[in-house]
Amino acid sequence: MTDNQLRLGVNIDHVATVRNARGGAYPDPVRAAKLAEDAGADGITAHLREDRRHITDSDIDALMEALTVPLNFEMAATVEMQKIALRHKPHAVCIVPEKREERTTEGGLEVAREENRLAHFIAPLRDAGCRVSIFIAADRKQIDAAHRIGAEVIELHTGAYCDYHAESRFEDRDRELEALREMSAYAHSLGLEVHAGHGLTYDTVQPVAAFPEVRELNIGHFLIGEAIFRGLTPAVQEMRRLMDAARG
């Protein structure tokens, strides 16, 4: 992998969503993770939510055992999740906001308001050797706060950009894309590694993939949906192709 190549993290949460709809063991998110790995994913992302609505504790156990690429463990900033992360010591942990009533993660973490608590929360994770990422909006105040608390990585929330595109609100889309571009460069200037994700599709990935400061994209729901029509391996390969073409 070259220094310029963009990493693709494939989120396999919604394989577990389909499995849990019937309460059985199929489809297996670990099998999906291995297929994504073989198809060109550089890492696997899994979000263990407090309500266990998709990924479960046993899935995390199995992923840690099966994967040969890094696991990005998404989690809320709770004592329970911190204990699980410290037991497994995954390559990376991404701290995300979480509300039980939401369908999916609705926005970035409010770091500036909880700076002291989050600084103390992530310190043991860093000491254990995990790379700590903070999932935030493209907002200078939040980036500054993430930097101050000692995060090594930020992941910029691309959901608003993707929603505006889907709604044909192109002026809003372009404004959000410009904010993502500016804040990617700003975070990079502080020494933070920049990732991005949420809602990205074949139609929206390339403008974000073209940002030179972005090192990794995490994409899940769209790829799992696309896999229904074309299979997971071709779905991941096409995303990989588009990302590489944008990087040029």
Side-chain angles (χ1 to χ4, degrees):
M1 186 174 187
T2 67
D3 289 342
N4 187 51
Q5 188 175 355
L6 188 57
R7 296 192 300 267
L8 171 60
V10 173
N11 184 312
I12 44 84
D13 291 350
H14 295 296
V15 178
T17 300
V18 176
R19 175 196 63 193
N20 296 353
R22 291 289 292 267
Y26 183 86
D28 178 12
V30 177
R31 182 181 175 191
K34 294 299 291 182
L35 281 170
E37 182 181 332
D38 291 343
D42 302 292
I44 297 298
T45 294
H47 182 181
L48 183 66
R49 292 184 68 107
E50 291 181 87
D51 61 10
R52 309 307 199 266
R53 68 176 63 169
H54 38 59
I55 294 296
T56 64
D57 300 70
S58 61
D59 291 329
I60 298 297
D61 294 342
L63 287 165
M64 287 296 299
E65 183 150 341
L67 292 178
T68 58
V69 295
L71 175 67
N72 177 35
F73 179 60
E74 289 189 341
M75 55 182 257
T78 67
V79 172
E80 179 197 24
M81 291 299 154
Q82 185 190 60
K83 287 179 179 176
I84 293 169
L86 289 172
R87 184 169 76 247
H88 286 294
K89 299 182 178 64
H91 168 78
V93 295
C94 184
I95 313 300
V96 301
E98 192 173 304
K99 294 185 292 188
R100 286 182 181 269
E101 65 273 18
E102 68 189 357
R103 288 184 183 177
T104 184
T105 306
E106 293 175 347
L109 193 67
E110 176 52 65
V111 190
R113 268 206 308 264
E114 294 194 79
E115 198 168 318
N116 189 54
R117 182 179 82 86
L118 289 169
H120 285 92
F121 182 84
I122 71 171
L125 298 167
R126 288 196 60 180
D127 292 345
C130 300
R131 300 194 76 208
V132 176
S133 174
I134 309 288
F135 188 67
I136 54 176
D139 180 275
R140 187 181 294 258
K141 180 177 70 172
Q142 302 301 335
I143 293 169
D144 286 338
H147 182 244
R148 284 194 297 269
I149 69 173
E152 298 169 87
V153 182
I154 60 159
E155 181 169 340
L156 293 176
H157 186 295
T158 54
Y161 155 70
C162 294
D163 288 345
Y164 290 144
H165 179 83
E167 295 162 8
S168 300
R169 295 168 58 183
F170 298 131
E171 287 187 13
D172 291 331
R173 176 201 64 187
D174 293 346
R175 193 178 304 115
E176 184 67 18
L177 185 65
E178 185 57 31
L180 289 163
R181 185 195 319 277
E182 289 179 3
M183 290 303 102
S184 296
Y186 177 65
H188 179 75
S189 76
L190 297 178
L192 291 162
E193 183 171 311
V194 183
H195 300 175
H198 200 84
L200 292 168
T201 68
Y202 295 150
D203 291 336
T204 56
V205 70
Q206 289 195 298
V208 179
F211 298 163
E213 298 86 3
V214 173
R215 298 300 311 278
E216 180 174 306
L217 298 179
N218 285 296
I219 305 172
H221 183 264
F222 173 79
L223 287 174
I224 302 310
E226 191 67 10
I228 294 170
F229 303 106
R230 65 166 73 193
L232 185 57
T233 295
V236 172
Q237 288 173 336
E238 175 63 5
M239 188 63 77
R240 170 88 270 166
R241 185 191 70 77
L242 290 167
M243 287 166 56
D244 291 345
R247 206 58 164 211

